[in-house]
Amino acid sequence: MKEYDIVVIGGGPAGLAAAYSAKENGIDNILIIERDNILGGILNQCIHNGFGLHVFKEELTGPEYAERYANLVEEKNIEYILNSMVLSVDENKVVTVMNEEDGIFEIQAKAVILAMGCRERSRGAINIPGYRPSGVFSAGMVQRLMNMEGYIPGKEVVIFGSGDIGLIMARRMALEGAKVKAVVERKPYSSGLQRNIVQCLDDYDIPLLYQHTVSKVVGKDRMEGVVLSKVDDKKQAIPGTEEFVSCDTLLLSVGLIPENEISRDLGVKMNRKTSGPIVGENLMTNVEGVFACGNVLHVHDLVDHVTMESNIAGKKAAEYIKMNKVDTSGKKIQLIPDKGVSYLVPDHINLSTLSDDVTVRFRVTDVYEGAYVDVNFDDELAIHRKKPFLAPGEMQEIKLKKDYILEHQNTDNITFKVEAK
Amino acid sequence: MEEKNLICISCPIGCHMTVTLDNEEVSKVEGNTCKRGAAYAEKEITNPTRFVTSTVKVKNGQVERVSVKTELDIPKSKIFDVMKEINSVEVSAPVKMGDTIIENVAGTNVNIIATRSVK
Amino acid sequence: MYDVLIIGGGFSGSAIARELSKYNAKIAVLEKTEDICEGTSKANTALAHGGFDAKPGTLKAKLNVQGNKMMDKLTKDLNIPFERNGALVLCFDEKDIPKLEELKERGEKNGVPGLSIINQEELRKLEPNITDDAVAALLCESAGIICTFTLNFALAENAYENGVEFFFNTAVEGFTKKEDRWIVHTNNGDYEAKAVVNAAGVYADELHNMVSSKKHSITPRRGQYFLMDKQVGDTVKRTVFQLPTKFGKGIVVTPTVDGNLLIGPTAEDIEDKEGVDTTKEGLDEIMEKSKMTLKSFPYGSVITSFSGLRAHDEEDDFVVEEVEDAEYFFDALGIESPGLTSSPAIGLMMANLIRDKLNLQEKDNFKETREGLPLTNRMTPEEHKALIEKDSSFSKIICRCEMITEGEIVAAIHSPLGGKTLDGLKRRVRAGAGRCQGGFCSPKVIEIISRELNIPQEEVMKNNSNSKIILGRTKE
């Protein structure tokens, strides 16, 4: 059985950054396992720009970001295998892999970094009634079909969900000659980035219908249209507001779900809100030596944040290998999302593993203008930060200084909440 | 004096800005968190521009489309002219990231370059 | 001229075809859609019912119990999964316990083995995720779960391997009776046979009424379902029914042979014989009723919802007979629940009727067993490794949710009566049947179909010929 210090599962932006960072931190014996035939993951199909402003200090497209990172990994001689599926990881960190070259084989790892990314929610998950004709696609699937393979699934399109992929695909389809009739959003605000509403919808006169839902898919064989309805405050369709819109294609951009099947089977504990592993400030899960980063941990909006988070996972995994153990005997401070905050990553800080400042990433539950984010160490207000604009679609981050945490060692809970104007 | 609300598209933060116009000239920009916001506002009012990203047909490559972009931003009004030209070309593999695919696309003085390598 | 023409490639038609293929006879199946298992058969609760529910003395009761008993050997012969996981009927009110006893007695009259009534404590032990509202239950040990698709395909494939011909996209439009034969008119021309079997599901009444003066009327009875992620597949181990209450007929919560959880169905009489759409009201109803059974509805685990139709005849029993005023014309009509369970028995009964009528002789080379597709999920790791040694495409994962390899998909395309569409392959090997519902693998499966059948990707269909998936290419 081949042995590696660190096995990274997933060769997308998270896996590449984690591997690169582990290498930079002194570990040579690393393997990245990627299921696709190219490194870079979903970035390869995200041909739009807007990536890399933080990491590369310039604006790149997805494939450029991916290729640059893949080149860095090549330059560092980090080993990787493509077209390879991880079937399981057991509690002894034996990774079972399958590919065409070597069939089914096992690898012994000392540490494992989970970086499998996420998948899209399907029609079933959002429960749209009607027939099941062809023409209903997840937005990401169409992104791959169009951008990598050059196929266009339809000519008249309705998009359900105003997440970034939905907005980006509205523009892509409009540019390729399709008629995008509407983007439909159940909430009173978009879960995508503001700038994408401007440059993907407004530029192409594509209407964005807030507080609407697709209440029915029409057509038995190929889609013939959708019925749209207005929704009430509970996001339920209001009878009598139905409107038929003809279209041959419905794209669903209704959320992403971290792909944690391997993690669950391994016994990694999950956070119900993020659907990702519960991790400490070192991004280690409850299984010693198993780390997680990127969209498998929680869904990000920006690849730059994925890279920065994964740098930490790589570094911490490297420290773990060098020390050959991890001391978790120290005091544990719990991070608690309070009013207006839906989740926090990490879940806790362990004083015996704390070695740097801690970047806490979180999402808010609503749209707020001119609000403050308050961070309390037990009852003591530690941070009171003004945020001109907060929305659930835009992940937030706040850095907790290591020194400040150490000065407040007796703290039991650190609470994050939104103080609305 | 006239006020316009803009959302900056320079980066994913998407600052909400208020632009004050004086005789159709930008006299004040508020709400931006960096210099790029002010520059964007100025441009968006006077001569809006956009980057265009798309794909181009590839012959004999491991894939049949290569992703491309305008090297710089082009006038917003030229987007569909640019697309027309992008749709009409075909290149042969190998292509390297950064290769020029079309020079001076649609008379914009901007090149179309490949954003990935195709073997 | 054929000896027997069977109309309909659902599980009744396929079971009849397989039983008849034991005899020296020229047999064909006419199917109006592009594949086996496209009509009523494709969507149901996928159960081998015990048989306690049907009224004693009815054909339903007899064929259900008989069909259930045939399942062990049949599924073994055809190499398809089957599990006798047992069923429970929950009682929510002490006052209703006599109803459970009634059900048990009825089952015993029907010849159902292994029935007992258990109290709340025993029930808790068996199924900890059931609500405390359930005070007692009827336990039926002989009930089981099966895959409706694979049973249907396996029956049809085995019939095919034994010489039965299949004609797809062939819709019957009328009949003419000549001296010694029936002429069956279809959109693809005329077929002639000594005997005709009508196994046309929800359309069986229309075909019957073309030849007989004694009319039948079939109402499509729609049932809507939720299918849940495998993560919650072990919520219950047994198939859990509800005793009917003042709120109406209950719903079923059951694991599937593939490890998912299935919840449904509704029972709505509709007009449209193709009306397999789901409705908000129907889905809400299932969710509401399931709360009586389950402590919580695993809402976030829904991966898809769907509808199926039962072919409900107004006479409320199966009809398996020669039509009185149309000699040599046989009906398998009104085959609603428990049709899947009964299908092996329906096949046998019908084949016996026809054997006697046409004086058919058994052949000596009937092949009873079917090897089936090489499904890696059903192999031991050693078997899988050995297969990879022979063909490395069995190590190339295409559908990552269900872990389906390219080798399996290719094998399913080229198998007897192979799948040629996305849905056809989903039902044969489960590519795209998992939690992402084809989000990742559909483009790859389309590519494989296109390559294997040598057709452009734009010509690959979801199911029927009007269900194109990709409408064109960019830049063209």
Side-chain angles (χ1 to χ4, degrees):
Chain A
M1 198 188 321
K2 266 199 158 181
E3 290 181 17
Y4 288 90
D5 284 341
I6 299 178
V7 168
V8 181
I9 306 178
L16 293 176
Y20 183 78
S21 159
K23 178 91 184 186
E24 290 280 274
N25 283 282
I27 305 299
D28 286 323
N29 191 15
I30 304 169
L31 177 70
I32 303 171
I33 305 173
E34 167 56 36
R35 57 192 161 201
D36 212 336
N37 59 9
I38 179 175
L39 289 175
I42 297 300
L43 280 177
N44 289 303
Q45 68 187 54
C46 301
I47 65 167
H48 54 280
N49 59 353
F51 304 90
L53 280 168
H54 300 274
V55 171
F56 291 107
K57 307 293 175 211
E58 60 179 303
E59 190 160 354
L60 301 173
T61 64
E64 289 172 310
Y65 194 106
E67 198 164 321
R68 285 211 192 179
Y69 238 104
N71 290 343
L72 288 175
V73 162
E74 296 263 9
E75 281 162 24
K76 290 278 169 190
N77 292 316
I78 297 170
E79 214 179 310
Y80 63 87
I81 49 174
L82 300 175
N83 299 308
S84 301
M85 188 64 113
V86 171
L87 303 179
S88 65
V89 182
D90 74 10
E91 65 279 10
N92 299 318
K93 301 190 191 66
V94 174
V95 183
T96 306
V97 190
M98 182 163 76
N99 66 23
E100 275 205 279
E101 240 160 80
D102 301 304
I104 301 171
F105 57 99
E106 292 178 338
I107 292 168
Q108 178 69 59
K110 285 186 190 151
V112 172
I113 300 178
L114 305 170
M116 293 88 78
C118 57
R119 65 166 179 275
E120 298 178 273
R121 290 177 79 194
S122 66
R123 170 182 173 185
I126 49 168
N127 218 349
I128 310 174
Y131 289 93
R132 303 203 295 162
S134 62
V136 183
F137 301 92
S138 63
M141 173 183 160
V142 172
Q143 189 175 46
R144 184 182 175 98
L145 267 177
M146 285 182 69
N147 294 348
M148 296 180 75
E149 282 146 48
Y151 289 97
I152 187 154
K155 307 285 184 204
E156 288 199 312
V157 189
V158 168
I159 296 176
F160 188 22
S162 64
D164 285 313
I165 312 173
L167 301 175
I168 296 280
M169 285 313 294
R171 177 176 62 183
R172 275 298 294 144
M173 295 205 73
L175 278 175
E176 296 295 338
K179 170 84 187 145
V180 182
K181 294 202 154 174
V183 175
V184 179
E185 171 59 58
R186 288 198 301 174
K187 294 190 233 103
Y189 51 83
S190 163
S191 46
L193 297 173
Q194 291 294 318
R195 75 167 194 159
N196 284 335
I197 295 172
V198 175
Q199 61 182 0
C200 297
L201 303 189
D202 298 351
D203 278 3
Y204 300 88
D205 294 322
I206 298 167
L208 173 51
L209 306 175
Y210 288 115
Q211 288 178 290
H212 276 70
T213 190
V214 175
S215 50
K216 201 173 183 182
V217 171
V218 182
K220 288 181 182 174
D221 304 323
R222 176 78 196 197
M223 267 193 81
E224 289 159 20
V226 289
V227 175
L228 304 182
S229 299
K230 286 186 184 157
V231 298
D232 58 23
D233 293 342
K234 286 178 183 147
K235 294 185 206 147
Q236 295 298 309
I238 302 170
T241 61
E242 295 85 1
E243 183 195 349
F244 175 77
V245 177
S246 71
C247 62
D248 57 26
T249 302
L250 175 66
L251 295 197
L252 302 174
S253 170
V254 287
L256 300 167
I257 309 169
E259 284 223 275
N260 273 300
E261 281 65 38
I262 294 169
S263 331
R264 267 192 205 96
D265 290 347
L266 167 62
V268 170
K269 285 192 186 139
M270 295 292 153
N271 177 321
R272 282 188 56 204
K273 264 285 192 247
T274 59
S275 299
I278 292 172
V279 293
E281 86 297 331
N282 56 353
L283 303 185
M284 192 173 84
T285 67
N286 61 301
V287 182
E288 192 179 301
V290 175
F291 299 80
C293 56
N295 282 350
V296 86
L297 180 56
H298 59 133
V299 175
H300 295 62
D301 321 316
L302 299 182
V303 71
D304 295 77
H305 290 160
V306 167
T307 299
M308 290 188 275
E309 182 175 272
S310 306
N311 285 341
I312 306 287
K315 183 178 170 201
K316 297 294 169 184
E319 284 170 11
Y320 170 77
I321 296 293
K322 281 187 273 186
M323 301 190 334
N324 204 15
K325 63 172 174 46
V326 65
D327 174 16
T328 50
S329 63
K331 182 183 162 65
K332 193 169 127 182
I333 304 175
Q334 190 66 39
L335 268 58
I336 297 176
D338 199 350
K339 202 179 58 187
V341 177
S342 63
Y343 72 78
L344 298 167
V345 173
D347 168 80
H348 55 266
I349 292 168
N350 191 308
L351 291 179
S352 59
T353 54
L354 178 69
S355 57
D356 295 290
D357 295 345
V358 179
T359 301
V360 179
R361 299 198 163 86
F362 61 99
R363 286 183 192 277
V364 295
T365 54
D366 217 331
V367 173
Y368 301 93
E369 282 188 55
Y372 288 85
V373 175
D374 287 356
V375 181
N376 282 287
F377 278 58
D378 288 335
D379 293 333
E380 185 184 318
L381 181 63
I383 295 171
H384 179 67
R385 184 160 302 159
K386 181 155 192 194
K387 289 279 180 182
F389 184 78
L390 290 167
E394 305 195 359
M395 197 172 75
Q396 302 296 321
E397 55 175 59
I398 281 182
K399 195 174 272 187
L400 304 179
K401 293 274 184 213
K402 178 189 166 194
D403 293 345
Y404 188 91
I405 300 167
L406 290 176
E407 281 160 26
H408 295 75
Q409 294 212 13
N410 293 328
T411 304
D412 291 319
N413 298 314
I414 302 177
T415 330
F416 281 60
K417 67 176 172 190
V418 177
E419 279 296 334
K421 189 165 62 177
Chain B
M1 298 271 266
E2 190 194 347
E3 279 194 356
K4 269 196 174 173
N5 289 319
L6 283 183
I7 293 166
C8 182
I9 66 168
S10 304
C11 88
I13 292 171
C15 292
H16 289 237
M17 308 187 292
T18 306
V19 183
T20 311
L21 294 177
D22 206 346
N23 276 334
E24 292 184 17
E25 300 243 316
V26 176
S27 62
K28 196 166 72 174
V29 179
E30 289 170 301
N32 54 317
T33 47
C34 80
K35 287 186 295 196
R36 296 165 44 128
Y40 168 77
E42 174 80 38
K43 225 175 181 182
E44 189 68 7
I45 299 291
T46 52
N47 172 31
T49 62
R50 295 290 184 265
F51 280 88
V52 174
T53 60
S54 183
T55 61
V56 159
K57 276 205 245 180
V58 193
K59 270 191 297 207
N60 312 323
Q62 91 238 75
V63 289
E64 291 181 36
R65 297 288 182 275
V66 58
S67 52
V68 298
K69 69 174 182 185
T70 51
E71 204 166 8
L72 296 167
D73 44 346
I74 54 120
K76 195 173 143 185
S77 58
K78 291 260 188 180
I79 290 176
F80 280 94
D81 297 332
V82 168
M83 278 305 297
K84 218 173 180 180
E85 236 177 275
I86 285 176
N87 290 345
S88 66
V89 298
E90 185 168 19
V91 296
S92 289
V95 178
K96 277 182 72 184
M97 177 169 75
D99 281 357
T100 300
I101 305 291
I102 304 173
E103 275 179 34
N104 183 18
V105 66
T108 56
N109 287 322
V110 172
N111 295 340
I112 296 286
I113 62 169
T115 56
R116 68 169 281 187
S117 302
V118 178
K119 283 181 213 150
Chain C
M1 180 166 69
Y2 289 93
D3 291 300
V4 189
L5 278 174
I6 300 160
I7 302 166
F11 40 67
S12 299
S14 300
I16 294 164
R18 177 176 184 267
E19 283 297 336
L20 277 173
S21 69
K22 292 176 177 169
Y23 300 98
N24 280 312
K26 192 168 155 61
I27 305 158
V29 173
L30 306 182
E31 168 55 48
K32 84 175 161 98
T33 70
E34 74 297 334
D35 203 354
I36 300 295
C37 198
E38 267 289 329
T40 31
S41 298
K42 81 176 163 198
N44 55 67
T45 325
L47 301 177
H49 288 275
F52 51 78
D53 197 39
K55 229 183 288 165
T58 59
L59 198 50
K60 269 187 193 173
K62 182 183 149 200
L63 296 179
N64 180 345
V65 175
Q66 192 191 348
N68 180 300
K69 284 184 184 148
M70 291 168 79
M71 280 299 176
D72 298 285
K73 178 167 169 21
L74 182 71
T75 52
K76 199 160 168 267
D77 283 347
L78 298 179
N79 189 20
I80 57 172
F82 171 58
E83 194 186 324
R84 287 198 191 275
N85 64 323
L88 290 163
V89 184
L90 302 184
C91 169
F92 299 99
D93 190 337
E94 298 279 352
K95 280 187 294 206
D96 284 339
I97 290 180
K99 287 188 192 160
L100 278 187
E101 277 158 3
E102 236 172 78
L103 209 51
K104 177 169 174 274
E105 277 165 33
R106 198 196 297 178
E108 282 161 353
K109 259 188 212 157
N110 289 344
V112 181
L115 291 173
S116 58
I117 291 180
I118 59 171
N119 62 27
Q120 191 174 42
E121 198 184 329
E122 292 165 298
L123 179 59
R124 278 309 147 270
K125 266 191 226 148
L126 293 182
E127 299 291 349
N129 292 322
I130 283 177
T131 60
D132 293 335
D133 298 343
V135 294
L138 172 68
L139 172 64
C140 172
E141 287 166 6
S142 64
I145 47 179
I146 192 162
C147 169
T148 184
F149 309 132
T150 36
L151 174 65
N152 202 156
F153 292 134
L155 289 166
E157 281 172 29
N158 192 228
Y160 177 84
E161 288 172 327
N162 283 299
V164 175
E165 296 171 51
F166 283 78
F167 298 96
F168 293 99
N169 298 308
T170 303
V172 172
E173 290 164 349
F175 303 95
T176 309
K177 179 78 169 105
K178 286 275 168 73
E179 276 304 275
D180 61 340
R181 65 188 69 186
W182 281 98
I183 300 171
V184 181
H185 310 294
T186 79
N187 59 332
N188 284 334
D190 290 352
Y191 292 80
E192 296 182 351
K194 288 181 191 159
V196 170
V197 178
N198 168 19
V202 282
Y203 293 99
D205 57 342
E206 292 175 15
L207 296 190
H208 169 95
N209 294 346
M210 288 177 189
V211 300
S212 172
S213 61
K214 184 189 162 252
K215 303 299 179 193
H216 274 286
S217 171
I218 287 176
T219 308
R221 183 168 285 173
R222 181 169 60 196
Q224 307 190 32
Y225 293 89
F226 280 112
L227 184 70
M228 328 295 277
D229 194 297
K230 288 180 177 176
Q231 243 181 67
V232 297
D234 59 357
T235 305
V236 291
K237 289 188 195 67
R238 289 160 195 79
T239 301
V240 184
F241 297 83
Q242 302 170 339
L243 257 190
T245 66
K246 59 185 172 187
F247 304 110
K249 198 170 178 284
I251 54 115
V252 186
V253 178
T254 183
T256 71
V257 273
D258 296 298
N260 297 89
L261 189 73
L262 182 65
I263 305 183
T266 55
E268 314 150 58
D269 288 347
I270 60 171
E271 309 240 307
D272 183 357
K273 289 187 172 184
E274 303 286 324
V276 287
D277 52 331
T278 54
T279 63
K280 182 173 186 304
E281 295 71 28
L283 297 176
D284 286 350
E285 181 191 327
I286 303 168
M287 228 178 279
E288 207 43 54
K289 284 185 172 171
S290 74
K291 285 179 190 156
M292 282 173 66
T293 296
L294 293 178
K295 284 178 180 157
S296 67
F297 184 83
Y299 190 80
S301 307
V302 174
I303 62 173
T304 189
S305 52
F306 62 89
S307 272
L309 299 177
R310 298 95 139 171
H312 178 68
D313 186 50
E314 57 192 347
E315 288 176 14
D316 203 20
D317 198 6
F318 293 162
V319 177
V320 181
E321 64 187 20
E322 185 177 6
V323 176
E324 222 179 85
D325 56 351
E327 208 186 353
Y328 291 99
F329 192 102
F330 295 81
D331 279 334
L333 180 149
I335 312 299
E336 56 181 333
S337 178
L340 174 64
T341 322
S342 308
S343 57
I346 293 170
L348 186 61
M349 182 177 174
M350 181 65 86
N352 288 344
L353 289 176
I354 291 174
R355 174 198 63 198
D356 295 347
K357 187 80 185 177
L358 300 184
N359 195 21
L360 298 178
Q361 303 301 314
E362 270 186 52
K363 56 169 116 153
D364 46 19
N365 59 346
F366 174 70
K367 183 172 169 279
E368 196 169 27
T369 57
R370 162 191 174 266
E371 200 177 326
L373 292 168
L375 301 176
T376 59
N377 282 337
R378 294 183 61 206
M379 294 176 189
T380 63
E382 290 68 36
E383 287 169 337
H384 188 181
K385 280 180 184 169
L387 182 60
I388 293 170
E389 286 294 314
K390 279 191 267 174
D391 183 347
S392 67
S393 70
F394 285 94
S395 59
K396 187 173 174 190
I397 295 279
I398 299 296
C399 166
R400 62 167 93 147
C401 301
E402 295 291 308
M403 292 289 183
I404 310 300
T405 62
E406 178 161 332
E408 291 161 75
I409 295 168
V410 171
I413 294 172
H414 297 300
S415 67
L417 306 175
K420 311 278 187 272
T421 63
L422 264 195
D423 280 357
L425 290 168
K426 177 166 85 177
R427 291 174 197 148
R428 281 170 177 82
V429 298
R430 297 186 58 76
R435 49 177 65 95
C436 92
Q437 288 285 294
F440 283 117
C441 69
S442 296
K444 292 182 187 165
V445 177
I446 291 169
E447 202 182 310
I448 295 169
I449 297 173
S450 152
R451 184 189 72 209
E452 294 298 317
L453 299 180
N454 201 15
I455 54 173
Q457 292 198 22
E458 295 93 312
E459 296 300 320
V460 176
M461 300 294 158
K462 179 170 188 283
N463 40 54
N464 65 42
S465 56
N466 295 319
S467 61
K468 281 191 178 191
I469 304 157
I470 292 166
L471 297 192
R473 299 217 69 168
T474 60
K475 319 293 161 192
E476 273 164 20

